[in-house]
Amino acid sequence: MVITVALFRNSNGVRRNITCMRTYLAPLGFDSRRVVRPVLSEGLDESDRVVLLQPANSSDQSEDAFEEVVDVLTQVVPDLELDSEQLPYTDFVETTLLCADLMQAAEGETIVVLGGGAREILLPLTVATFSNENHINTILQVGDIDSSVRRIPQLNLRGNISNAEATLLADLTALDTPLSISEIATELEKSKSTVARHVDSLESEGFVQTAKEGRTKTVEQTDSGRVFLSGGEFNNHIHRG
């Protein structure tokens, strides 16, 4: 069920067509501050949309929290489009898929807030977020310890690379990167063309990043690359190879 707060009419009663520039997806529990603080930290405009994710059959406390978010955010942007998506909480897979659908259907820049709410919603939302990194622009985390709002990196946890590419990614760990393609090729005793081809593939997966320094392209690992190597995926590639 979707509850739409904004009426999309100006002061003269004329209906307006609004194109969403940013879509916020945020789980909401009993504490409205865990939605309000991260949303306001990124900024809010009348063309934005805020979607609050709540368990189906929410309690009175959840409804009160929703009204608090509405009150605060519409004081900042009176015509804000603010919706509540009621999600099933007993089926982890179904909830994950519904979260993914919301991300893929979002308009404009998509910002996911991993801040609070019921774990039955937060965990599927987290899985969907890191499984749909191509649909996400920003991920915000609200800390339990200090309540600070932080941007966290978008990690590719799947990895669609060959055995040779996974080996090169691991080899980069031992090198003092960033290094140029030529320097990597020399260090690893491989051809420049082979290294360049593997780097292109690794960069498309988000496991390395490159930068131009004059006429030279330098390469270094990303957070996704380091996380990929820290898990079992690298060994799986080696065994498959």
Side-chain angles (χ1 to χ4, degrees):
M1 179 179 67
V2 178
I3 304 170
T4 303
V5 174
L7 297 178
F8 308 111
R9 296 179 185 273
N10 62 18
S11 58
N12 296 320
V14 177
R15 191 174 183 87
R16 296 183 291 116
N17 292 322
I18 293 180
T19 301
C20 291
M21 297 302 294
R22 284 174 296 196
T23 298
Y24 289 90
L25 299 175
L28 175 63
F30 301 151
D31 188 353
S32 61
R33 295 171 298 180
R34 298 182 75 83
V35 171
V36 170
R37 292 184 66 249
V39 168
L40 293 182
S41 74
E42 288 292 305
L44 205 55
D45 188 78
E46 65 177 5
S47 63
D48 293 339
R49 181 186 182 212
V50 177
V51 181
L52 301 178
L53 310 179
Q54 296 181 282
N57 304 318
S58 295
S59 66
D60 290 342
Q61 284 179 289
S62 297
E63 292 179 6
D64 290 343
F66 177 79
E67 292 301 327
E68 288 172 7
V69 173
V70 172
D71 288 343
V72 174
L73 296 186
T74 54
Q75 286 182 38
V76 178
V77 180
D79 288 338
L80 179 67
E81 182 182 359
L82 200 152
D83 305 327
S84 174
E85 283 283 348
Q86 308 289 314
L87 300 176
Y89 55 86
T90 58
D91 189 324
F92 182 88
V93 173
E94 182 183 359
T95 306
T96 301
L97 294 174
L98 288 171
C99 288
D101 288 343
L102 290 171
M103 294 168 188
Q104 294 167 20
E107 298 181 30
E109 180 183 349
T110 304
I111 301 172
V112 176
V113 178
L114 302 178
R119 289 182 177 87
E120 290 88 343
I121 302 299
L122 179 60
L123 291 178
L125 176 64
T126 302
V127 171
T129 297
F130 289 106
S131 300
N132 290 270
E133 68 277 359
N134 292 335
H135 296 280
I136 306 299
N137 298 95
T138 303
I139 306 171
L140 300 177
Q141 179 187 49
V142 183
D144 287 330
I145 297 174
D146 57 7
S147 297
S148 62
V149 178
R150 303 183 182 90
R151 288 192 174 206
I152 60 176
Q154 297 168 247
L155 303 177
N156 179 355
L157 303 182
R158 295 170 295 169
N160 183 25
I161 58 177
S162 68
N163 180 49
E165 291 157 357
T167 300
L168 174 60
L169 181 63
D171 289 340
L172 291 176
T173 303
L175 302 180
D176 186 17
T177 58
L179 292 173
S180 69
I181 298 290
S182 296
E183 290 169 330
I184 295 171
T186 299
E187 290 283 347
L188 301 180
E189 298 182 344
K190 299 179 182 294
S191 71
K192 288 173 56 177
S193 61
T194 298
V195 171
R197 186 173 67 255
H198 291 340
V199 165
D200 285 344
S201 178
L202 291 170
E203 186 172 28
S204 70
E205 291 293 327
F207 290 156
V208 302
Q209 62 184 10
T210 63
K212 279 282 191 178
E213 294 184 4
R215 301 175 65 181
T216 301
K217 178 192 285 188
T218 60
V219 182
E220 63 181 333
Q221 282 182 349
T222 62
D223 291 328
S224 284
R226 287 186 282 272
V227 170
F228 176 83
L229 291 174
S230 72
E233 283 301 313
F234 172 65
N235 287 330
N236 289 340
H237 276 283
I238 295 300
H239 292 318
R240 287 197 297 267

